């Protein structure tokens, strides 16, 4: 079956890993084909801004079609007043408040389109106890859909010193952060890759 083929860089599958691979729908986190912001994992996308801590950034997420692809679009204005400076589309990686073990994978692959700005993928784990804790990797968008690979070894810890442990992932976020700008990011596919 072609769906169980893996590139040579990945460790071989055990039967248990093959089953987990099937359960996680061939590594898919979301391909945005479901309605009501429900992901392929059965969890819900939500929009979070710095307003939760007194900031004034504004954003929305919407499900849309761009270039005949279903996509999630995050758009709004990142503002720095009141110690703010972020907008984010976030997704819990499990429906039952357990951690997702992604240690069999090499990183996150996403298909994105944007306005030429840089955005971040933020991962939260069992070790990210405070709201500002995360592991982050940055990518830059173009006005055409582009496939981006973000290897786990490029994720940098933010305001914590615990090493990044991919066996305990809890949440993923697509973030516009750290400077004033107009955010406009669309993602048509996001998954783990190996």
């Amino acid at each position: 079956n072609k769906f169980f083929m893996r590139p040579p860089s990945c460790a071989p599958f055990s039967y248990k890993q093959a089953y987990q691979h099937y359960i996680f729908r061939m590594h898919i986190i979301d391909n945005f084909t479901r309605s009501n912001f429900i992901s392929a994992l059965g969890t819900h996308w939500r929009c979070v801004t710095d307003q939760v801590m007194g900031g004034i950034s504004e954003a929305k997420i919407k499900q849309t079609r761009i270039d005949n692809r279903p996509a999630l679009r995050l758009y709004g204005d990142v503002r720095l007043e009141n110690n703010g400076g972020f907008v984010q589309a976030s997704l819990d990686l499990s429906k039952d408040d357990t951690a997702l073990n992604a240690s069999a994978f090499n990183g996150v692959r996403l298909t994105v389109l944007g306005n030429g700005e840089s955005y971040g993928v933020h991962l939260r784990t069992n070790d990210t106890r405070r709201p500002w804790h995360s592991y982050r990797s940055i990518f830059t968008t173009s006005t055409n859909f582009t496939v981006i690979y973000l290897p786990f070894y490029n994720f940098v810890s933010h305001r914590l010193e615990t090493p990044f442990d991919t066996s305990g992932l809890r949440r993923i976020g697509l973030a516009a952060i750290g400077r004033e700008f107009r955010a406009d990011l669309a993602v048509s596919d996001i998954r783990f890759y190996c």
Side-chain angles (χ1 to χ4, degrees), residues 22-97:
Y22 175 77
I23 293 299
F24 290 121
R25 299 191 174 118
M26 298 157 293
H27 320 286
I28 293 174
I29 297 169
D30 207 355
N31 58 8
F32 306 99
T33 57
R34 292 149 197 84
S35 58
N36 300 319
F37 300 105
I38 298 173
S39 74
L41 300 174
T43 55
H44 290 81
W45 286 96
R46 60 190 177 107
C47 185
V48 180
T49 72
D50 57 23
Q51 292 181 18
V52 298
M53 50 184 263
I56 62 170
S57 298
E58 294 184 352
K60 293 183 180 180
I61 58 172
K62 77 174 187 175
Q63 291 179 281
T64 187
R65 289 190 78 78
I66 302 172
D67 294 342
N68 205 30
R69 300 176 191 217
L72 179 77
R73 182 175 171 216
L74 169 69
Y75 60 100
D77 293 301
V78 181
R79 307 274 301 270
L80 299 179
E81 290 91 343
N82 299 341
N83 295 315
F86 77 89
V87 300
Q88 181 175 191
S90 70
L91 179 74
D92 289 333
L93 294 172
S94 171
K95 287 171 43 172
D96 60 3
D97 198 35

Side-chain angles (χ1 to χ4, degrees), residues 64-171:
T64 187
R65 289 190 78 78
I66 302 172
D67 294 342
N68 205 30
R69 300 176 191 217
L72 179 77
R73 182 175 171 216
L74 169 69
Y75 60 100
D77 293 301
V78 181
R79 307 274 301 270
L80 299 179
E81 290 91 343
N82 299 341
N83 295 315
F86 77 89
V87 300
Q88 181 175 191
S90 70
L91 179 74
D92 289 333
L93 294 172
S94 171
K95 287 171 43 172
D96 60 3
D97 198 35
T98 59
L100 185 147
N101 184 348
S103 61
F105 304 109
N106 292 337
V108 177
R109 186 191 94 167
L110 55 163
T111 305
V112 295
L113 171 148
N115 56 354
E117 296 284 353
S118 294
Y119 297 89
V121 170
H122 295 186
L123 292 171
R124 292 183 54 83
T125 71
N126 290 329
D127 298 315
T128 54
R129 307 268 188 237
R130 304 279 184 208
W132 51 83
H133 289 170
S134 61
Y135 298 90
R136 301 177 176 188
S137 188
I138 297 171
F139 62 93
T140 302
T141 60
S142 74
T143 55
N144 298 310
F145 274 110
T146 306
V147 176
I148 307 284
Y149 289 85
L150 301 173
F152 286 139
Y153 62 77
N154 280 349
F155 279 76
V156 176
S157 62
H158 180 75
R159 298 178 71 181
L160 78 161
E161 297 192 18
T162 309
F164 185 28
D165 179 5
T166 59
S167 69
L169 299 184
R170 292 196 166 270
R171 184 178 302 149

